[in-house]
Amino acid sequence: MSFLLLLAILIGPLKAADIENVKPVKNIILLIPDGTSLSTVSIARWLQWYNNPDMPNLAIDPYMCGTVRTFSSNAPIGDSAPTTSCYMTGIPSIAGYVSTHPVQDAANDILPIDSTRAYQPLVTVLEAAKMKYGKSTGLVFTCEFPHATPADCSAHSYNRGKYEWIAPQMAHNDLTVVIGGGTSLLPAESESYLRNNGYSVFKDNLKGMREFKGEKMWSLFSEKEMPYDIERDTTATPSLEEMTRTAISKLSQNEKGFFLMVEGSKIDWAAHANDPMGMASDYLAFDRACGAALEFAKANGETAVIIVPDHGNSGISLGSSRCSNYSKLTKDQLFGQFAQYKLTSEGFQAMLNSRPASEVQNIFRTYAGFELNDDELKMLYNNKGYKNSPIPLEERAKGPELESLYSGSLSGFIAKLLTSKTCFGFTTGGHTGEEVFLAAYHPEGDVPMGVLTNVDLNHYMCALFEIKGELDEMSNQTFAKHTDVFKGYKYEIVPSTEKNGTPTLVVKSKKKQLTIKPFTNLIQTGKKGTETIKLNSVVVYVDKNNTFYLPSDLAKHL
Ligand SMILES: [Zn+2]
């Protein structure tokens, strides 16, 4: 037997036992920097230290304890939907699936997948905390609210893009506090449900949010996603740290405890754009939110904090083959130019397209600390996304070779330009499959250590909330197939009269009728459908198998 195998046998069971036998806590705060590879954290830390010589460390540094292998059910490299879904449900899933059981892909499944549960909505740790204990629940993020990570906590869909299915589920899941982006994406029906059920709803109303004394609140900023932190108008848009502190102050009023998920959503977006300042500055904004969560947890004594990305992104490296002898470069050479960037590539694009070409050099001097040389200016003027170029669109550089240089988006060109002045490298504009860092705080020191899987991390959270091994049974009780729940009753799926509308399930007994519209927690009953049954969970409809998923005891209302 090899030494390593012996070590694995000795350590393996011990680690699992530690994860599942921790002292329970009242509150969990899970913080997810989306799409954050460890190099992003390294560059952000250097940037902070370079700018503030008395701040060499990040808030998360003392709590780093391990790594997490994060994968989809049938692929080693995950996207945001199945990765956080797995943290929340304990079951890895397929690309695009939001807390929904995967379809079996036997030849490729990384762990065994039960084919009979395909498309079943899976109860999340957040939903379990609410349903089993009456804990308060909260979501804080900077993307639009139906985006993958917040949706993974509070909605169910095999298609992360179906906001029309996801948004109403999030409104009807009775979350206590929601703070993030997406004022244009809250359906009118969802908003009136919230207002009729004791919520205050704020839209682009920082003052309203700050003055609000109650607990139940949806506070949305920006039509879709919120701005990058470095470009935030501080008089109109809160920082992720303020959003986190606000959420904690509301949630901690419930003596039964709370579950809060905080996402630094756009670190991932900047990584997709290969924009190093967007990544580093949004990571630092996220780190300050982690600091707020840790500060609360340490004072509170009953709160665990878990900080973990959902996957890597961009293959960013500190050091690039473009720079000769880069390992000998000083911190000034590596970070001096970079530290002068005051906008993301998107920010530069917006500014360049809103000001005359005569201001180009001034803009770069002021917001990037350099002026464009003749070649760079030529490339900018020929870029097809540059609206104010002195070269008319039809005269800009053509031909296969030139097309690839100039035809990308303006922000894409600027991201490359800004990166070219650094010694950072990128290998891709997409996700990467390396394991992600894990940082954790537990009041008794019961933090997970070593290399975990995404499934292990779910088991750790379940142990913290004493729902160990219960999620599967809760999913079967909360999301049973209508064909099982209403066996022996007369039921009919009535198609929607609207284009792309969702169908309605109508169930009849001799005395009563249930009219069930999916993606809400409300069911109409009574003689003329005038009474409403309010569930503690949402009903989900899946068109792939024409099935409504609803509570297994729902027939008791007939
Ligand atoms: Zn992600």
Side-chain angles (χ1 to χ4, degrees):
M1 187 182 290
S2 79
F3 171 73
L4 279 178
L5 184 60
L6 182 66
L7 197 69
I9 288 168
L10 285 173
I11 291 175
L14 271 177
K15 177 175 68 72
D18 286 343
I19 288 170
E20 307 214 356
N21 290 295
V22 294
K23 288 213 178 62
V25 293
K26 199 163 99 172
N27 314 311
I28 295 176
I29 306 176
L30 171 67
L31 299 108
I32 298 177
D34 203 294
T36 298
S37 300
L38 196 55
S39 289
T40 308
V41 180
S42 308
I43 290 169
R45 188 190 291 104
W46 275 110
L47 176 67
Q48 176 181 282
W49 194 11
Y50 189 81
N51 286 332
N52 303 282
D54 58 338
M55 289 180 72
N57 297 315
L58 297 171
I60 65 165
D61 286 355
Y63 306 97
M64 286 281 197
C65 56
T67 61
V68 178
R69 295 159 60 198
T70 166
F71 46 83
S72 302
S73 57
N74 61 351
I77 304 171
D79 82 280
S80 294
T83 50
T84 293
S85 285
C86 187
Y87 296 158
M88 296 306 296
T89 69
I91 298 182
S93 201
I94 291 177
Y97 280 41
V98 171
S99 290
T100 296
H101 197 284
V103 172
Q104 192 184 57
D105 180 3
N108 300 307
D109 283 332
I110 290 164
L111 301 174
I113 294 298
D114 179 353
S115 63
T116 65
R117 297 181 69 191
Y119 301 119
Q120 185 189 18
L122 300 172
V123 164
T124 68
V125 172
L126 177 148
E127 289 173 319
K130 182 191 73 169
M131 291 192 287
K132 181 168 178 185
Y133 299 109
K135 289 181 190 288
S136 289
T137 57
L139 298 175
V140 167
F141 46 89
T142 56
C143 55
E144 64 263 29
F145 72 86
H147 207 264
T149 304
D152 283 335
C153 300
S154 56
H156 310 273
S157 171
Y158 67 83
N159 182 346
R160 60 180 281 182
K162 288 280 191 185
Y163 284 5
E164 65 271 36
W165 298 345
I166 291 169
Q169 290 185 64
M170 293 177 73
H172 282 271
N173 221 337
D174 291 337
L175 306 164
T176 316
V177 176
V178 174
I179 311 176
T183 59
S184 69
L185 296 169
L186 186 62
E189 186 281 330
S190 294
E191 184 170 344
S192 62
Y193 171 80
L194 291 172
R195 291 190 189 278
N196 292 336
N197 284 275
Y199 285 82
S200 288
V201 180
F202 300 103
K203 292 183 182 174
D204 285 318
N205 185 353
L206 182 56
K207 188 164 177 279
M209 182 183 91
R210 282 179 175 163
E211 290 173 355
F212 178 57
K213 296 282 187 288
E215 284 178 52
K216 289 161 73 175
M217 170 178 80
W218 271 58
S219 182
L220 301 177
F221 297 88
S222 306
E223 283 187 12
K224 288 185 178 165
E225 77 276 12
M226 293 173 69
Y228 284 108
D229 185 74
I230 198 172
E231 285 147 11
R232 184 168 58 87
D233 172 357
T234 56
T235 64
T237 306
S239 65
L240 193 63
E241 178 188 351
E242 178 179 356
M243 293 155 70
T244 302
R245 287 186 190 278
T246 302
I248 290 172
S249 76
K250 307 295 180 198
L251 299 171
S252 58
Q253 291 174 36
N254 184 346
E255 61 187 29
K256 293 171 189 154
F258 68 83
F259 177 90
L260 168 64
M261 193 287 294
V262 176
E263 184 197 24
S265 315
K266 290 180 69 180
I267 305 163
D268 179 71
W269 297 30
H272 280 297
N274 284 188
D275 178 337
M277 182 48 81
M279 295 163 77
S281 55
D282 249 44
Y283 178 79
L284 292 176
F286 171 82
D287 192 68
R288 290 188 282 272
C290 293
L294 288 161
E295 179 190 304
F296 169 81
K298 282 188 275 183
N300 169 266
E302 296 177 295
T303 303
V305 178
I306 300 159
I307 304 157
V308 62
D310 53 346
H311 51 78
N313 193 338
S314 81
I316 189 171
S317 60
L318 174 47
S320 160
S321 55
R322 286 193 324 276
C323 304
S324 54
N325 282 326
Y326 62 79
S327 61
K328 294 190 179 114
L329 298 181
T330 65
K331 65 182 191 307
D332 285 326
Q333 287 169 321
L334 280 173
F335 296 100
Q337 179 66 60
F338 180 57
Q340 296 185 62
Y341 296 172
K342 297 183 182 70
L343 293 172
T344 66
S345 54
E346 263 183 36
F348 274 101
Q349 173 176 277
M351 190 172 284
L352 288 166
N353 276 338
S354 64
R355 296 202 190 168
S358 57
E359 285 200 39
V360 164
Q361 295 294 24
N362 189 26
I363 288 169
F364 276 94
R365 209 167 39 239
T366 309
Y367 296 99
F370 66 89
E371 289 193 357
L372 305 192
N373 62 34
D374 289 347
D375 285 346
E376 291 161 349
L377 206 55
K378 186 180 161 213
M379 284 195 270
L380 172 66
Y381 285 172
N382 279 288
N383 182 277
K384 292 187 170 56
Y386 182 28
K387 289 182 186 152
N388 299 333
S389 172
I391 304 178
L393 195 56
E394 58 279 9
E395 288 172 30
R396 291 184 207 172
K398 288 200 175 75
E401 203 180 321
L402 292 171
E403 287 283 337
S404 67
L405 259 178
Y406 304 128
S407 65
S409 68
L410 179 55
S411 62
F413 164 70
I414 293 164
K416 284 197 188 79
L417 176 69
L418 295 174
T419 301
S420 74
K421 313 282 174 181
T422 71
C423 289
F424 308 148
F426 290 100
T427 59
T428 174
H431 294 178
T432 52
E434 79 279 10
E435 63 216 54
V436 294
F437 71 83
L438 174 66
Y441 169 82
H442 183 286
E444 313 283 337
D446 285 349
V447 297
M449 290 173 73
V451 180
L452 279 72
T453 65
N454 41 13
V455 177
D456 294 332
L457 193 73
N458 170 267
H459 291 179
Y460 176 65
M461 287 198 287
C462 288
L464 289 175
F465 270 176
E466 294 183 278
I467 48 173
K468 200 164 64 177
E470 293 179 31
L471 287 185
D472 278 343
E473 184 51 31
M474 289 179 90
S475 293
N476 291 337
Q477 284 172 13
T478 310
F479 300 114
K481 290 180 172 182
H482 76 272
T483 47
D484 293 335
V485 175
F486 298 121
K487 200 170 266 174
Y489 291 91
K490 237 176 109 180
Y491 58 79
E492 183 188 5
I493 294 178
V494 183
S496 171
T497 51
E498 293 162 34
K499 202 185 165 207
N500 299 326
T502 47
T504 302
L505 176 65
V506 179
V507 193
K508 286 176 183 162
S509 68
K510 279 181 183 150
K511 293 178 195 162
K512 277 191 172 172
Q513 172 173 322
L514 298 180
T515 305
I516 304 169
K517 291 202 167 94
F519 309 126
T520 83
N521 61 338
L522 303 176
I523 291 173
Q524 305 306 316
T525 182
K527 279 184 185 159
K528 289 175 183 170
T530 46
E531 290 165 41
T532 300
I533 300 165
K534 189 175 164 189
L535 306 174
N536 201 12
S537 58
V538 289
V539 173
V540 178
Y541 171 72
V542 175
D543 55 4
K544 293 269 190 190
N545 56 6
N546 200 28
T547 299
F548 282 73
Y549 290 92
L550 29 72
S552 58
D553 65 351
L554 207 53
K556 73 185 177 193
H557 295 288
L558 285 162

